[in-house]
Amino acid sequence: SFHIPPFLLAIYQSAGSWYGVPWQVLAAINEVETDYGTNLDVSSAGAVGWMQFLPSTWKRYGVDASGAGARDPYNAADAIFAAARYLAAAGASHNLAHAIFAYNHSHAYVQSVLDRAELLAGEPSALLSSLSELSEGDFPVQLRYHSSYRPGTVGGGNAPAAVTAAAGGAAPTPGSVGAAAAGAQRNPVADIYADSGAAVVAVQDSTVTAIGRSRKLGRYIVLRNAFGDRFTYAHLASVSAYYPAPRRPHASKAILSAAVPAALGAGPRPTGPATAGAQPKPQAPPKTLFGARAHATPSTPAAPTTPLVATINLGSRPSAQTLIPTLAQVNRAVAGSGRRHVLSRRSAYLLLKHYFTGAFGMPLSALQLARLHVGSHVLAGTIVGRLAVTHGARRPHLLFEVRPAGAGEALIDPRPFLDSWSQLETLELHRNSFATAAVYGPNLHARSVGLTLRASQVDLERIVLQDTRVSLAGCERSAIAAGNVDRRVLAALEVLVLHGIDPTVSGAWCSSSARLRRQTPALLKTGNAVALSALDGRAPVAGVAAIAEHALRTLPGADRPALSEQLVAGRLVISFAPARQPQTLAVAASFTAGFALSSSRWSQLDSRLQQIQQPRVPTAISPAALRSAHRKTHKHR
């Protein structure tokens, strides 16, 4: 059975990619230390947070991965990234067991972590790829609209009394719908209730496959992600006419920097353990996911602050005047949030700009408005429609469906993934700087070489599969979606795109001809290499090929590929040496190839996810957090 809370997968994998530590080890340490965040009590030695850091060690290795302006051991992302940073500094890439021993000076601890990590490494790769992709998304209704959800009914209706709205713009609480869901049969749809006129957003980077109206669904839109999973949004009052689309970058001979944020740099060599002591016996979990604990502890968060988020109605083409809300509109929004001060016109513009930069992780100059139609490629967080405006006790709701990739696959219960998306989004509520770039999560688009090289496997798979500038045949797309292509190969393709070069992938892992398969070099039959048949639509020779080769040859260390124009005639071959994997994990991982995810396996997974004990995800920075010295926070009055 799969027992990791799904929203943590994105963080484990991103932190592992960033610091070169197997993500399974980070998950295993999290399980040993706090049972995936379900027991955040302080240990007998004073260790705190999700990964149980001693305060003195946290001061040296704490990471502000969530972009909150503070390094918080009770923030899951900060703590997991910090643990990866510590293990990397302790030599995890050379001696994994030694690095784990440095984390906690106990041989029994080392064996326990390695055993758990090996079990995780034995999970079917297709299952992990599919689950990781689906667990990494935006909640389908912007959280400021006080969303709550329950098992869906196509016929509609009002929210039952047992369903309570999450207060203060926090993520919806799965515990708050427990009474309504108890005893109910598993349902392949979910009703998401929210305030009137709530903005409905794309949960992941997707392609629009249908827009229409029917008696059963009302007005609806269907999106398909890069892996083939489909999301249906029904009972909409309107569908957006326009959406922000990325502009095409210009080809440039300038070599982009591969530098990474200083706040996520390598740490000093450890001189002491990261954790010590034992935790008291865990108490019963709280009834609500975000509820305050019964007694005050260092992990008790402060009262959450309502995030003031401005959104726009994309029902008509915005102009320079309509893009900026009037002061009256902004003041009404402020009044509704409980704030008494009045925003300036400049602040109103910044709030609006947040929709373009905060949701998409790219500057306003990199986006342009385009008409929304079937075939449009939308980014995660894009407003695709609005709920109806209602009055009185009747609340508008969204009917939401998830159908996994594959021919004839049945709908699955979306509620476990709604839980995951709401928790992942809660971790990012502190991203109050509009210039903060994501390093994990659905809004990671890796618009710099440094972030691209350190993106996780699933993030890179999603980016490459959704990138219209990378030409992929069906077989190559299937190989990437199945997780069979080395992340370094995928990163190299995106590095070319960032330099304004469109690669065409050909003959990488499969061929339609038996004769060609026999003639294909053995290197290209693995996931460690790729052959490019064209660059910018032309054979990879002369000028553009020279720019591409120069850009790839200047990449640092293990991210630099070997390049060959002789291995296959008329092709530029990009290859890497097989990735080193700790011997303790390699044995189990060798049995995971070729696993096909079936509808029955989806059903088993769905049932298991419903049984997961939910961790505590605070919605505010804890008193144990340290102010980050690597970035400035922006406050707008």
Side-chain angles (χ1 to χ4, degrees):
S1 61
F2 192 82
H3 56 282
I4 299 177
F7 81 101
L8 292 173
L9 285 172
I11 306 173
Y12 293 138
Q13 293 169 347
S14 296
S17 298
W18 199 277
Y19 293 103
V21 176
W23 72 265
Q24 296 92 340
V25 171
L26 298 174
I29 290 177
N30 195 187
E31 181 181 14
V32 171
E33 295 292 350
T34 64
D35 194 15
Y36 301 112
T38 59
N39 180 11
L40 294 179
D41 292 319
V42 178
S43 78
S44 58
V48 298
W50 275 70
M51 304 297 276
Q52 290 291 283
F53 269 91
L54 294 170
S56 58
T57 313
W58 180 259
K59 289 182 179 180
R60 300 188 72 192
Y61 295 95
V63 171
D64 179 18
S66 60
R71 297 171 290 149
D72 188 355
Y74 288 95
N75 179 290
D78 291 1
I80 292 168
F81 269 74
R85 186 183 187 214
Y86 181 99
L87 292 171
S93 61
H94 307 292
N95 191 326
L96 185 59
H98 178 79
I100 299 172
F101 183 81
Y103 197 91
N104 188 322
H105 292 352
S106 165
H107 291 290
Y109 179 92
V110 174
Q111 193 58 51
S112 176
V113 168
L114 290 176
D115 287 346
R116 295 166 194 262
E118 187 172 0
L119 284 174
L120 290 175
E123 292 282 356
S125 58
L127 169 64
L128 285 176
S129 293
S130 300
L131 178 58
S132 297
E133 171 58 24
L134 274 177
S135 65
E136 193 171 342
D138 281 327
F139 196 76
V141 175
Q142 286 188 343
L143 294 186
R144 69 179 294 259
Y145 292 101
H146 307 101
S147 305
S148 59
Y149 51 97
R150 66 164 187 170
T153 55
V154 177
N158 294 329
V163 179
T164 58
T173 62
S176 69
V177 298
Q185 295 182 347
R186 290 172 51 251
N187 200 310
V189 297
D191 284 333
I192 304 175
Y193 292 84
D195 292 345
S196 291
V200 175
V201 301
V203 297
Q204 296 177 338
D205 294 357
S206 307
T207 300
V208 179
T209 61
I211 299 175
R213 180 193 288 271
S214 71
R215 178 175 299 180
K216 178 181 178 181
L217 300 177
R219 192 183 302 276
Y220 67 89
I221 183 171
V222 180
L223 306 180
R224 183 185 63 230
N225 69 7
F227 290 73
D229 306 310
R230 283 160 287 174
F231 310 100
T232 299
Y233 303 75
H235 297 170
L236 298 174
S238 63
V239 174
S240 297
Y242 292 85
Y243 71 101
R247 293 182 185 273
R248 179 187 178 92
H250 298 289
S252 173
K253 294 183 179 180
I255 301 303
L256 303 177
S257 171
V260 299
L264 296 176
R269 185 174 182 82
T271 57
T275 189
Q279 289 179 293
K281 185 178 180 180
Q283 301 173 350
K287 293 183 179 180
T288 60
L289 180 61
F290 302 100
R293 299 176 63 185
H295 57 280
T297 68
S299 64
T300 302
T305 302
T306 301
L308 183 57
V309 180
T311 59
I312 59 176
N313 189 346
L314 294 178
S316 59
R317 185 174 183 85
S319 64
Q321 288 71 33
T322 59
L323 277 178
I324 302 178
T326 65
L327 289 180
Q329 291 173 316
V330 174
N331 291 335
R332 283 198 297 269
V334 173
S337 70
R339 304 183 187 183
R340 296 183 178 180
H341 58 270
V342 177
L343 297 185
S344 66
R345 189 172 179 83
R346 170 64 177 170
S347 296
Y349 171 76
L350 290 175
L351 285 173
L352 179 67
K353 181 182 176 184
H354 180 34
Y355 170 60
F356 293 96
T357 58
F360 306 129
M362 59 185 68
L364 196 59
S365 60
L367 294 166
Q368 61 185 347
L369 286 174
R371 184 173 290 278
L372 186 70
H373 56 80
V374 173
S376 295
H377 299 280
V378 298
L379 301 178
T382 298
I383 297 176
V384 296
R386 293 269 176 179
L387 297 185
V389 176
T390 61
H391 304 281
R394 185 169 175 266
R395 297 181 65 195
H397 72 280
L398 168 72
L399 182 71
F400 186 72
E401 298 177 345
V402 177
R403 189 182 300 274
E409 291 294 338
L411 293 173
I412 60 173
D413 189 343
R415 286 175 294 155
F417 299 105
L418 292 173
D419 293 349
S420 178
W421 299 337
S422 66
Q423 293 172 87
L424 185 62
E425 195 161 338
T426 298
L427 290 174
E428 299 185 346
L429 283 180
H430 302 308
R431 289 179 184 265
N432 53 4
S433 169
F434 302 152
T436 300
V439 295
Y440 65 92
N443 297 319
L444 171 62
H445 298 105
R447 294 294 164 176
S448 73
V449 172
L451 287 178
T452 297
L453 296 178
R454 285 158 179 79
S456 70
Q457 176 81 25
V458 172
D459 279 327
L460 281 170
E461 290 169 358
R462 170 176 53 81
I463 291 170
V464 170
L465 289 174
Q466 196 69 24
D467 196 335
T468 57
R469 299 191 57 186
V470 179
S471 298
L472 294 166
C475 185
E476 281 79 4
R477 296 187 70 87
S478 299
I480 294 174
N484 295 331
V485 182
D486 193 303
R487 58 174 298 279
R488 297 169 298 174
V489 173
L490 302 177
L493 295 176
E494 280 303 307
V495 167
L496 294 178
V497 171
L498 289 173
H499 284 85
I501 300 171
D502 298 357
T504 299
V505 179
S506 175
W509 311 281
C510 35
S511 174
S512 57
S513 166
R515 180 179 63 83
L516 290 178
R517 284 198 297 270
R518 288 193 299 270
Q519 295 176 351
T520 300
L523 180 63
L524 288 177
K525 296 178 181 178
T526 71
N528 300 319
V530 62
L532 304 181
S533 61
L535 296 172
D536 282 350
R538 300 187 298 273
V541 294
V544 68
I547 298 175
E549 293 182 25
H550 184 43
L552 294 174
R553 285 197 172 107
T554 56
L555 296 179
D559 297 311
R560 185 186 308 124
L563 304 174
S564 173
E565 295 182 11
Q566 288 77 39
L567 189 62
V568 179
R571 304 285 191 270
L572 175 62
V573 176
I574 300 173
S575 63
F576 291 87
R580 292 183 56 186
Q581 187 174 29
Q583 186 175 2
T584 52
L585 304 183
V587 175
S590 65
F591 293 101
T592 64
F595 180 87
L597 203 62
S598 64
S599 56
S600 61
R601 182 56 171 152
W602 267 113
S603 180
Q604 295 170 8
L605 168 64
D606 181 44
S607 299
R608 176 56 188 157
L609 292 182
Q610 294 284 5
Q611 302 168 14
I612 292 176
Q613 182 180 3
Q614 296 294 345
R616 308 168 194 166
V617 184
T619 59
I621 297 174
S622 79
L626 304 174
R627 183 175 295 278
S628 176
H630 299 291
R631 62 181 293 275
K632 297 178 180 179
T633 57
H634 298 267
K635 295 181 179 180
H636 304 292
R637 295 188 179 275

